[in-house]
Amino acid sequence: MIKNACSFELIEAITLHFEETKQQVIRLEDAFLALNENPKLLRCQAIEQLINDVDYTIESTKFGAIRDAGILLSLQKIEHYEIATYSILSTYAESSNENAIAELLAMSLNEEKVTELRLEKISNSIRFDS
């Protein structure tokens, strides 16, 4: 996505979120460790389809504002999915009195919400040439 985005702001947002995602993975590993559980890597079909949508957008558009708009649309869908996931997991951890885990999940949830706002701001700034 980074090499196919046109807008500097979009490239920056994708890059920043990629780094945040690495930290989120570490937090999830820490949560599993705190629960004395081994995480299992499972592919999420919904996220895979949303990523396929990004690939399709890139393949079917020219470099520029239209492509950026399509990438943003797909990324915002992914953010909504991630926010929903972290939100319910955080709520479940809180209700299970797993406060340390709830805090880890809340940190990731907040990052996702900030990313969503960043993407929304970028999408509102796209200008299409007539």
Side-chain angles (χ1 to χ4, degrees), residues 1 17 44 46-54 56-57 68-85 112 115-117 119-120 123:
M1 281 184 271
H17 192 59
C44 176
I47 292 292
E48 282 195 2
Q49 183 55 51
L50 293 170
I51 291 170
N52 288 339
D53 289 349
V54 174
Y56 177 77
T57 296
D68 279 0
I71 291 171
L72 279 161
L73 174 62
S74 294
L75 289 176
Q76 286 179 304
K77 289 177 185 179
I78 292 168
E79 288 310 307
H80 287 283
Y81 190 93
E82 291 174 327
I83 288 169
T85 302
E112 296 300 339
T115 297
E116 179 185 35
L117 292 172
L119 293 174
E120 183 179 334
S123 67

Side-chain angles (χ1 to χ4, degrees), residues 82-107:
E82 291 174 327
I83 288 169
T85 302
Y86 280 121
S87 180
I88 194 64
L89 290 175
S90 180
T91 299
Y92 180 71
E94 286 175 15
S95 68
S96 300
N97 294 318
E98 296 288 351
N99 298 326
I101 294 170
E103 187 176 320
L104 292 171
L105 294 168
M107 289 170 59

Side-chain angles (χ1 to χ4, degrees), residues 12-24:
E12 183 178 51
I14 295 168
T15 303
L16 178 61
H17 192 59
F18 180 70
E19 294 304 317
E20 290 172 343
T21 299
K22 290 178 188 177
Q23 293 303 309
Q24 291 171 5

